[in-house]
Amino acid sequence: MTTLAIHNARIIDPELNLDGIVDIVLVDGRIARVGPNEAEMVIDAERIDATGLVVSAGFVDLHCHLREPGFEYKETIATGTAAAARGGFTTVCAMPNTSPPMDSQASIESLLRQIEQSAQVRVLPIGCITVGRQGDELAPAGELVDSGVVALSDDGDAVADAALMQAALSYSSLFNLPVSQHAEDPSLVSDGQMHEGWVSTRLGLRGRPSSAEEIFVARDIALAELTGGHLHIAHVSTAGSVALIAAAKARGVNVTAEVTPHHLTLTHELVAFDGNYKDIRYDASAKVNPPLRVDSDLEALGIGIRDGIIDAIATDHAPHSLSDKEIEFDLAAPGISMLETAFALTMTRVHDGTFPLGTLIRSLTSAPVRAWDLDKRTGLSGLGTLAPGAPADLVIFDPDMEWTVDVGDFRSKGKNTPLEGRTLKGKVLVTISEGEIMHADSLVAGRLRLTDRNEGI
């Protein structure tokens, strides 16, 4: 029996209505006990003194790109999941825009074999909505479900054909499977490079208007209401979308949604300016689809998390090589490497009072699990919580520790981030997956007598 005892931590689990200084004991990859002085009752256990630190369930990411198979020069399952562990994520859902795409039983089974061999944390595959992600015909949802997918998505591209999207929602409803839509009308964002606003005008770049997202959000909510299918809106970025989702939920439509850390905290001005408005730049590290928006959108998105309109915070981790980004802005690939900075960046909204720490933890743990019924799909009762019997997935963090982003320290192959050199407040120190320590920050490794098994990956 392997036993790990964590004592003197502030344990926060919104699902269990728990916020207090207690101990937690892990036995053979499961949470055994949570309560006062529990660690003192354990003999012959590895011990972590978490005095002054916070412990929560491991973070759950509904949206990341691990790039394997086909784009291993950008990321691999090994490097991506090492980055996830460093960021506090113990479960990640991998998008299917790989090569080959995840649109068949054979491709999913091959991916699962690779996950088993090299994943550092739990990886749950997402299958394609359409064959080859081409938007022409539905992929075999039943076959994909049998293979183990937890959702369907053509992320990176919207399912533009309304009849096909209706069919996808109808078909997936037979399996209670979420259909995650990249909601941007292709006819309105064609050749668009960033948010359509004064910055895009100043830079002479074609814009991607907020209406492109909101039109598809409204359309797909209507289709979900018609079919009863489970619609999930990926990377919500506009105030209008938040209002549409809120109204749909009030009517009982089966819709869930996510927001990324960057859409919660960064604006389109970052593309052109860095702390001043004198020097103009074209910063492709801040290029992402949907694009970074404006302050009023950030305010609405923060309220959406606070009020539970938006279910989850998801990274949309999109690693790219330097050659994908350090080129002309209109040719650069969209996306930000986000797994390792997601927690600290989102803590910005806790420190500015937008929502409390418990709400952030819920949006990173139990809320995404509930949104997609991941506990039922995986058979892992208690996933996303610290309930006794749940998987021993935990993160230990300091919500007030300041640190400076240095891409040279990233576990991910993707060094593409507009946060390089920025000081953030809130740091993941230890990540435990199924009872095994997968990351221990060098700042605390000596104190905890632990080492980082991912060193050198």
Side-chain angles (χ1 to χ4, degrees):
M1 229 177 20
T2 58
T3 304
L4 177 63
I6 303 170
H7 57 98
N8 293 333
R10 178 188 175 191
I11 308 288
I12 301 180
D13 187 333
E15 194 73 8
L16 301 180
N17 197 29
L18 177 61
D19 186 346
I21 308 298
V22 294
D23 296 345
I24 184 166
V25 178
L26 317 179
V27 178
D28 284 349
R30 296 278 177 176
I31 295 171
R33 298 188 297 280
V34 179
N37 305 315
E38 288 289 351
E40 297 178 6
M41 310 298 291
V42 179
I43 301 174
D44 296 330
E46 180 95 40
R47 295 179 183 275
I48 295 178
D49 178 3
T51 302
L53 305 177
V54 178
V55 173
S56 77
F59 304 150
V60 178
D61 187 7
L62 295 181
H63 187 148
C64 77
H65 300 269
L66 297 181
R67 304 301 190 199
E68 187 175 3
F71 304 100
E72 287 84 356
Y73 71 97
K74 297 176 188 255
E75 192 77 285
T76 65
I77 291 168
T79 59
T81 54
R86 187 168 185 256
F89 291 90
T90 53
T91 299
V92 297
C93 300
M95 282 292 173
N97 56 336
T98 53
S99 181
M102 297 295 109
D103 62 358
S104 68
Q105 183 174 3
S107 60
I108 295 295
E109 289 178 349
S110 176
L111 176 65
L112 289 172
R113 285 193 294 271
Q114 188 58 37
I115 289 169
E116 185 176 1
Q117 292 173 8
S118 56
Q120 306 297 299
V121 299
R122 185 180 298 106
V123 179
L124 305 177
I126 297 172
C128 298
I129 299 174
T130 66
V131 174
R133 297 177 52 256
Q134 295 300 304
D136 297 323
E137 60 178 301
L138 292 183
E143 177 180 307
L144 294 174
V145 170
D146 290 342
S147 301
V149 305
V150 295
L152 301 175
S153 183
D154 278 1
D155 185 65
D157 297 294
V159 178
D161 187 296
L164 194 63
M165 189 62 177
Q166 179 180 335
L169 286 163
S170 294
Y171 189 23
S172 65
S173 67
L174 299 174
F175 311 101
N176 192 31
L177 196 66
V179 177
S180 179
Q181 171 74 304
H182 180 125
E184 285 191 294
D185 187 333
S187 67
L188 290 176
V189 299
S190 178
D191 298 323
Q193 300 300 316
M194 62 174 298
H195 173 69
E196 185 176 88
W198 73 268
V199 176
S200 66
T201 300
R202 178 67 180 82
L203 296 180
L205 295 172
R206 188 181 294 274
R208 301 173 81 95
S210 299
S211 58
E213 176 174 306
E214 291 156 10
I215 286 170
F216 264 33
V217 170
R219 183 201 75 173
D220 291 345
I221 285 173
L223 295 175
E225 195 164 16
L226 175 66
T227 62
H230 179 176
L231 171 67
H232 181 81
I233 305 297
H235 39 50
V236 175
S237 71
T238 77
S241 293
V242 175
L244 288 164
I245 293 163
K249 287 191 169 187
R251 298 197 307 273
V253 181
N254 190 7
V255 57
T256 55
E258 69 189 43
V259 64
T260 71
H262 40 286
H263 289 114
L264 265 176
T265 58
L266 308 177
T267 72
H268 66 148
E269 296 175 5
L270 192 60
V271 172
F273 310 104
D274 183 17
N276 68 76
Y277 290 87
K278 296 179 181 178
D279 301 321
I280 300 293
R281 61 179 185 172
Y282 292 76
D283 187 358
S285 72
K287 180 179 180 181
V288 62
N289 293 338
L292 303 178
R293 303 290 187 183
V294 299
D295 286 328
S296 58
D297 293 311
L298 268 61
E299 181 180 1
L301 293 165
I303 292 171
I305 285 291
R306 184 195 70 190
D307 294 348
I309 298 164
I310 299 174
D311 300 84
I313 294 170
T315 69
D316 194 8
H317 173 70
H320 289 292
S321 67
L322 291 178
S323 62
D324 293 320
K325 283 288 192 178
E326 294 186 354
I327 53 178
E328 294 91 338
F329 193 90
D330 60 346
L331 298 178
I336 299 173
S337 183
M338 186 50 64
L339 280 167
E340 293 166 83
T341 56
F343 171 70
L345 184 59
T346 314
M347 277 295 297
T348 303
R349 304 310 301 273
V350 174
H351 291 304
D352 71 13
T354 301
F355 44 74
L357 179 58
T359 296
L360 172 59
I361 290 174
R362 176 184 288 111
S363 300
L364 286 168
T365 58
S366 59
V369 171
R370 289 199 314 271
W372 283 12
D373 289 331
L374 291 180
D375 50 349
K376 298 182 181 67
R377 297 185 193 285
T378 60
L380 296 171
S381 177
L383 182 66
T385 78
L386 298 176
D393 299 341
L394 295 89
V395 60
I396 305 175
F397 62 86
D398 185 333
D400 298 313
M401 182 179 289
E402 293 187 345
W403 60 287
T404 300
V405 178
D406 179 357
V407 297
D409 292 336
F410 275 17
R411 298 285 189 263
S412 172
K413 286 187 176 183
K415 314 302 181 185
N416 50 298
T417 175
L419 303 176
E420 168 72 359
R422 179 178 292 201
T423 298
L424 300 176
K425 188 176 181 181
K427 188 168 182 62
V428 171
L429 299 176
V430 178
T431 303
I432 299 170
S433 177
E434 296 183 314
E436 185 175 354
I437 297 167
M438 304 306 295
H439 166 70
D441 191 274
S442 59
L443 292 174
V444 297
R447 164 186 163 186
L448 303 176
R449 302 188 304 279
L450 304 173
T451 56
D452 183 354
R453 67 165 286 176
N454 293 319
E455 192 70 42
I457 289 182

PDB file of all heavy atoms in Angstrom, residues 34-53:
ATOM      1  N   VAL A  34     -10.330  12.806   4.687  1.00  0.00           N
ATOM      2  CA  VAL A  34     -10.148  14.250   4.733  1.00  0.00           C
ATOM      3  C   VAL A  34     -10.721  14.731   6.057  1.00  0.00           C
ATOM      4  O   VAL A  34     -11.876  14.442   6.387  1.00  0.00           O
ATOM      5  CB  VAL A  34     -10.878  14.958   3.570  1.00  0.00           C
ATOM      6  CG1 VAL A  34     -10.685  16.471   3.661  1.00  0.00           C
ATOM      7  CG2 VAL A  34     -10.397  14.440   2.219  1.00  0.00           C
ATOM      8  N   GLY A  35      -9.913  15.432   6.864  1.00  0.00           N
ATOM      9  CA  GLY A  35     -10.422  15.921   8.132  1.00  0.00           C
ATOM     10  C   GLY A  35      -9.322  16.390   9.046  1.00  0.00           C
ATOM     11  O   GLY A  35      -8.124  16.224   8.751  1.00  0.00           O
ATOM     12  N   PRO A  36      -9.666  16.955  10.194  1.00  0.00           N
ATOM     13  CA  PRO A  36      -8.667  17.441  11.150  1.00  0.00           C
ATOM     14  C   PRO A  36      -7.805  16.303  11.683  1.00  0.00           C
ATOM     15  O   PRO A  36      -8.308  15.223  12.013  1.00  0.00           O
ATOM     16  CB  PRO A  36      -9.518  18.055  12.269  1.00  0.00           C
ATOM     17  CG  PRO A  36     -10.865  18.315  11.643  1.00  0.00           C
ATOM     18  CD  PRO A  36     -11.049  17.247  10.621  1.00  0.00           C
ATOM     19  N   ASN A  37      -6.486  16.542  11.705  1.00  0.00           N
ATOM     20  CA  ASN A  37      -5.523  15.633  12.346  1.00  0.00           C
ATOM     21  C   ASN A  37      -5.478  14.243  11.732  1.00  0.00           C
ATOM     22  O   ASN A  37      -4.953  13.308  12.346  1.00  0.00           O
ATOM     23  CB  ASN A  37      -5.825  15.508  13.850  1.00  0.00           C
ATOM     24  CG  ASN A  37      -5.856  16.856  14.542  1.00  0.00           C
ATOM     25  OD1 ASN A  37      -4.988  17.692  14.318  1.00  0.00           O
ATOM     26  ND2 ASN A  37      -6.870  17.070  15.368  1.00  0.00           N
ATOM     27  N   GLU A  38      -6.000  14.079  10.534  1.00  0.00           N
ATOM     28  CA  GLU A  38      -5.981  12.751   9.907  1.00  0.00           C
ATOM     29  C   GLU A  38      -4.556  12.278   9.625  1.00  0.00           C
ATOM     30  O   GLU A  38      -4.258  11.087   9.713  1.00  0.00           O
ATOM     31  CB  GLU A  38      -6.793  12.759   8.613  1.00  0.00           C
ATOM     32  CG  GLU A  38      -8.288  12.853   8.805  1.00  0.00           C
ATOM     33  CD  GLU A  38      -8.885  11.571   9.366  1.00  0.00           C
ATOM     34  OE1 GLU A  38      -8.170  10.558   9.451  1.00  0.00           O
ATOM     35  OE2 GLU A  38     -10.075  11.581   9.726  1.00  0.00           O
ATOM     36  N   ALA A  39      -3.656  13.203   9.267  1.00  0.00           N
ATOM     37  CA  ALA A  39      -2.282  12.805   8.944  1.00  0.00           C
ATOM     38  C   ALA A  39      -1.563  12.226  10.145  1.00  0.00           C
ATOM     39  O   ALA A  39      -0.676  11.376  10.015  1.00  0.00           O
ATOM     40  CB  ALA A  39      -1.512  14.005   8.393  1.00  0.00           C
ATOM     41  N   GLU A  40      -1.946  12.686  11.345  1.00  0.00           N
ATOM     42  CA  GLU A  40      -1.297  12.197  12.556  1.00  0.00           C
ATOM     43  C   GLU A  40      -1.612  10.736  12.816  1.00  0.00           C
ATOM     44  O   GLU A  40      -0.885  10.057  13.549  1.00  0.00           O
ATOM     45  CB  GLU A  40      -1.732  13.040  13.757  1.00  0.00           C
ATOM     46  CG  GLU A  40      -1.329  14.505  13.656  1.00  0.00           C
ATOM     47  CD  GLU A  40      -1.829  15.310  14.837  1.00  0.00           C
ATOM     48  OE1 GLU A  40      -2.383  14.695  15.773  1.00  0.00           O
ATOM     49  OE2 GLU A  40      -1.670  16.542  14.820  1.00  0.00           O
ATOM     50  N   MET A  41      -2.689  10.241  12.240  1.00  0.00           N
ATOM     51  CA  MET A  41      -3.112   8.861  12.475  1.00  0.00           C
ATOM     52  C   MET A  41      -2.431   7.871  11.541  1.00  0.00           C
ATOM     53  O   MET A  41      -2.616   6.670  11.666  1.00  0.00           O
ATOM     54  CB  MET A  41      -4.634   8.756  12.302  1.00  0.00           C
ATOM     55  CG  MET A  41      -5.451   9.784  13.077  1.00  0.00           C
ATOM     56  SD  MET A  41      -5.226   9.624  14.849  1.00  0.00           S
ATOM     57  CE  MET A  41      -6.061   8.058  15.121  1.00  0.00           C
ATOM     58  N   VAL A  42      -1.639   8.411  10.594  1.00  0.00           N
ATOM     59  CA  VAL A  42      -1.040   7.555   9.567  1.00  0.00           C
ATOM     60  C   VAL A  42       0.416   7.281   9.902  1.00  0.00           C
ATOM     61  O   VAL A  42       1.179   8.182  10.244  1.00  0.00           O
ATOM     62  CB  VAL A  42      -1.139   8.225   8.185  1.00  0.00           C
ATOM     63  CG1 VAL A  42      -0.499   7.343   7.119  1.00  0.00           C
ATOM     64  CG2 VAL A  42      -2.586   8.510   7.834  1.00  0.00           C
ATOM     65  N   ILE A  43       0.794   6.010   9.808  1.00  0.00           N
ATOM     66  CA  ILE A  43       2.171   5.587  10.058  1.00  0.00           C
ATOM     67  C   ILE A  43       2.799   5.145   8.732  1.00  0.00           C
ATOM     68  O   ILE A  43       2.122   4.610   7.850  1.00  0.00           O
ATOM     69  CB  ILE A  43       2.208   4.422  11.067  1.00  0.00           C
ATOM     70  CG1 ILE A  43       1.551   4.847  12.387  1.00  0.00           C
ATOM     71  CG2 ILE A  43       3.645   3.970  11.314  1.00  0.00           C
ATOM     72  CD1 ILE A  43       1.411   3.722  13.383  1.00  0.00           C
ATOM     73  N   ASP A  44       4.103   5.377   8.585  1.00  0.00           N
ATOM     74  CA  ASP A  44       4.850   4.942   7.402  1.00  0.00           C
ATOM     75  C   ASP A  44       4.268   5.529   6.122  1.00  0.00           C
ATOM     76  O   ASP A  44       4.010   4.815   5.141  1.00  0.00           O
ATOM     77  CB  ASP A  44       4.874   3.407   7.302  1.00  0.00           C
ATOM     78  CG  ASP A  44       5.620   2.768   8.451  1.00  0.00           C
ATOM     79  OD1 ASP A  44       6.551   3.415   8.972  1.00  0.00           O
ATOM     80  OD2 ASP A  44       5.260   1.633   8.834  1.00  0.00           O
ATOM     81  N   ALA A  45       4.062   6.834   6.124  1.00  0.00           N
ATOM     82  CA  ALA A  45       3.555   7.506   4.937  1.00  0.00           C
ATOM     83  C   ALA A  45       4.521   8.608   4.507  1.00  0.00           C
ATOM     84  O   ALA A  45       5.216   9.205   5.332  1.00  0.00           O
ATOM     85  CB  ALA A  45       2.184   8.113   5.219  1.00  0.00           C
ATOM     86  N   GLU A  46       4.601   8.867   3.203  1.00  0.00           N
ATOM     87  CA  GLU A  46       5.249  10.076   2.705  1.00  0.00           C
ATOM     88  C   GLU A  46       4.425  11.253   3.194  1.00  0.00           C
ATOM     89  O   GLU A  46       3.190  11.202   3.188  1.00  0.00           O
ATOM     90  CB  GLU A  46       5.285  10.060   1.178  1.00  0.00           C
ATOM     91  CG  GLU A  46       5.951  11.279   0.570  1.00  0.00           C
ATOM     92  CD  GLU A  46       7.411  11.046   0.250  1.00  0.00           C
ATOM     93  OE1 GLU A  46       7.732   9.947  -0.226  1.00  0.00           O
ATOM     94  OE2 GLU A  46       8.206  11.959   0.487  1.00  0.00           O
ATOM     95  N   ARG A  47       5.087  12.332   3.632  1.00  0.00           N
ATOM     96  CA  ARG A  47       4.340  13.454   4.210  1.00  0.00           C
ATOM     97  C   ARG A  47       4.676  14.752   3.493  1.00  0.00           C
ATOM     98  O   ARG A  47       5.820  14.983   3.106  1.00  0.00           O
ATOM     99  CB  ARG A  47       4.640  13.582   5.703  1.00  0.00           C
ATOM    100  CG  ARG A  47       4.162  12.380   6.512  1.00  0.00           C
ATOM    101  CD  ARG A  47       4.482  12.517   7.995  1.00  0.00           C
ATOM    102  NE  ARG A  47       4.066  11.315   8.701  1.00  0.00           N
ATOM    103  CZ  ARG A  47       2.836  11.100   9.152  1.00  0.00           C
ATOM    104  NH1 ARG A  47       1.909  12.044   8.983  1.00  0.00           N
ATOM    105  NH2 ARG A  47       2.521   9.977   9.749  1.00  0.00           N
ATOM    106  N   ILE A  48       3.664  15.567   3.325  1.00  0.00           N
ATOM    107  CA  ILE A  48       3.830  16.906   2.774  1.00  0.00           C
ATOM    108  C   ILE A  48       3.282  17.899   3.791  1.00  0.00           C
ATOM    109  O   ILE A  48       2.106  17.828   4.164  1.00  0.00           O
ATOM    110  CB  ILE A  48       3.092  17.073   1.434  1.00  0.00           C
ATOM    111  CG1 ILE A  48       3.698  16.170   0.369  1.00  0.00           C
ATOM    112  CG2 ILE A  48       3.126  18.525   0.981  1.00  0.00           C
ATOM    113  CD1 ILE A  48       2.994  16.228  -0.968  1.00  0.00           C
ATOM    114  N   ASP A  49       4.143  18.815   4.236  1.00  0.00           N
ATOM    115  CA  ASP A  49       3.697  19.895   5.101  1.00  0.00           C
ATOM    116  C   ASP A  49       3.252  21.047   4.202  1.00  0.00           C
ATOM    117  O   ASP A  49       4.073  21.712   3.580  1.00  0.00           O
ATOM    118  CB  ASP A  49       4.829  20.340   6.024  1.00  0.00           C
ATOM    119  CG  ASP A  49       4.419  21.502   6.928  1.00  0.00           C
ATOM    120  OD1 ASP A  49       3.249  21.918   6.874  1.00  0.00           O
ATOM    121  OD2 ASP A  49       5.277  21.981   7.687  1.00  0.00           O
ATOM    122  N   ALA A  50       1.941  21.260   4.120  1.00  0.00           N
ATOM    123  CA  ALA A  50       1.377  22.272   3.230  1.00  0.00           C
ATOM    124  C   ALA A  50       0.943  23.521   4.000  1.00  0.00           C
ATOM    125  O   ALA A  50       0.018  24.225   3.578  1.00  0.00           O
ATOM    126  CB  ALA A  50       0.202  21.688   2.458  1.00  0.00           C
ATOM    127  N   THR A  51       1.600  23.802   5.100  1.00  0.00           N
ATOM    128  CA  THR A  51       1.265  24.986   5.896  1.00  0.00           C
ATOM    129  C   THR A  51       1.352  26.248   5.044  1.00  0.00           C
ATOM    130  O   THR A  51       2.344  26.479   4.344  1.00  0.00           O
ATOM    131  CB  THR A  51       2.234  25.116   7.088  1.00  0.00           C
ATOM    132  OG1 THR A  51       2.155  23.936   7.891  1.00  0.00           O
ATOM    133  CG2 THR A  51       1.886  26.330   7.923  1.00  0.00           C
ATOM    134  N   GLY A  52       0.284  27.040   5.070  1.00  0.00           N
ATOM    135  CA  GLY A  52       0.240  28.274   4.308  1.00  0.00           C
ATOM    136  C   GLY A  52      -0.131  28.112   2.851  1.00  0.00           C
ATOM    137  O   GLY A  52      -0.185  29.099   2.107  1.00  0.00           O
ATOM    138  N   LEU A  53      -0.398  26.873   2.431  1.00  0.00           N
ATOM    139  CA  LEU A  53      -0.731  26.602   1.038  1.00  0.00           C
ATOM    140  C   LEU A  53      -2.169  26.113   0.905  1.00  0.00           C
ATOM    141  O   LEU A  53      -2.812  25.766   1.896  1.00  0.00           O
ATOM    142  CB  LEU A  53       0.229  25.564   0.456  1.00  0.00           C
ATOM    143  CG  LEU A  53       1.725  25.911   0.568  1.00  0.00           C
ATOM    144  CD1 LEU A  53       2.568  24.769   0.024  1.00  0.00           C
ATOM    145  CD2 LEU A  53       2.032  27.218  -0.159  1.00  0.00           C
TER     146      LEU A  53
END
